[in-house]
Amino acid sequence: MLQSGAETYRVEDTMSRIAASVGLPVSHSYVTPTGIIFQSGDAGSARMIRIAERTTDLEKVAAVNAISRQLGEGKLSAAKASALLQEIDTARHAYSVPLQIAAASIASGCFAIMFKGSWADFAPALISGGIGFAAVILLQHLVRIKFFAEFSASFLVGLLSYLLVQAGIGQELDKIIIGSVMPLVPGLLITNAVRDLMAGHLVSGLSRGAEAFLTAFAIGAGIAVVFTFF
């Protein structure tokens, strides 16, 4: 769940519910965006699992939630629930990369129109947003540095938008750029940071907020570099 974008309080609550349903009413868990510490009772030893990669797959989060509820209601045995959880862990619920890029492209064009751009800005926003989203996926796979990938992708978005407008494809550069970077904006991170803070998980909320701020800074810096040179 943590790897798929769930809030830390939801992960802790799910772990406690599952532990209680399998006969461990006293369990302790401490979850941060980068690690999980769990102890199954006062006498048991604690285990720590590091979370190195984080992505967004809310379908997995919903599936694990459903299993924990069924386990708590006695509709599933512990062995069956364990098998289902392992199946969810290895399943690829996320949409294919080409479909994600196509969706990001269409969303970019629609955002440009939503931000009061003209229909002439739809096509350049669609192109810039799609290429920028493809770039961030490729760069994260190649260099494994999230903020560098986001900075480079936003720089590419700004450069392509500028060149398309200079070529006569599109009218309002600012609307095209704003629409194109929207698929890169860390909306889920910001939402989770606020929800963790409201739930009293201050460390997780602040760390997620810092990650969202750095992502927003990388996107803004990439666009600013384009305007600096052009």
Side-chain angles (χ1 to χ4, degrees):
M1 295 177 72
L2 199 58
Q3 287 177 327
S4 300
E7 308 93 324
T8 54
Y9 78 87
R10 187 187 300 277
V11 177
E12 289 186 356
D13 182 66
T14 302
M15 292 171 68
S16 299
R17 288 175 181 273
I18 291 177
S21 62
V22 297
L24 298 171
V26 181
S27 62
H28 306 281
S29 59
Y30 181 73
V31 179
T32 70
T34 56
I36 296 173
I37 300 175
F38 181 79
Q39 184 182 22
S40 57
D42 294 332
S45 59
R47 291 188 61 188
M48 187 186 78
I49 298 176
R50 180 173 177 78
I51 306 299
E53 295 184 5
R54 297 181 298 279
T55 183
T56 302
D57 191 343
L58 299 183
E59 188 175 351
K60 280 190 174 181
V61 176
V64 175
N65 267 333
I67 289 176
S68 69
R69 285 195 291 270
Q70 293 178 23
L71 193 61
E73 295 169 358
K75 298 179 180 178
L76 280 178
S77 65
K80 180 65 176 178
S82 176
L84 290 174
L85 289 173
Q86 291 179 14
E87 185 179 328
I88 292 171
D89 186 38
T90 56
R92 294 180 61 83
H93 288 289
Y95 295 110
S96 65
V97 172
L99 185 57
Q100 292 181 46
I101 295 172
S105 301
I106 296 171
S108 299
C110 294
F111 274 121
I113 300 299
M114 193 181 77
F115 290 124
K116 301 186 182 303
S118 65
W119 281 105
D121 302 325
F122 181 85
L126 184 144
I127 296 171
S128 301
I131 293 177
F133 192 79
V136 79
I137 292 176
L138 178 63
L139 289 171
Q140 281 187 3
H141 178 71
L142 291 177
V143 299
R144 302 284 182 183
I145 302 176
K146 182 172 179 286
F147 303 113
F148 174 77
E150 289 160 347
F151 170 82
S152 302
S154 64
F155 175 80
L156 185 60
V157 165
L159 183 62
L160 282 173
S161 301
Y162 174 81
L163 294 176
L164 288 171
V165 171
Q166 291 297 309
I169 307 173
Q171 295 177 346
E172 299 184 72
L173 179 60
D174 57 338
K175 305 296 191 303
I176 297 172
I177 290 178
I178 292 171
S180 300
V181 301
M182 285 305 290
L184 307 179
V185 171
L188 182 63
L189 269 179
I190 296 171
T191 303
N192 285 351
V194 173
R195 295 193 67 172
D196 281 338
L197 286 173
M198 293 178 67
H201 292 238
L202 302 182
V203 174
S204 299
L206 291 176
S207 59
R208 283 188 191 274
E211 185 178 357
F213 171 79
L214 289 175
T215 298
F217 177 78
I219 295 171
I223 299 299
V225 170
V226 174
F227 280 105
T228 300
F229 286 105
F230 300 98

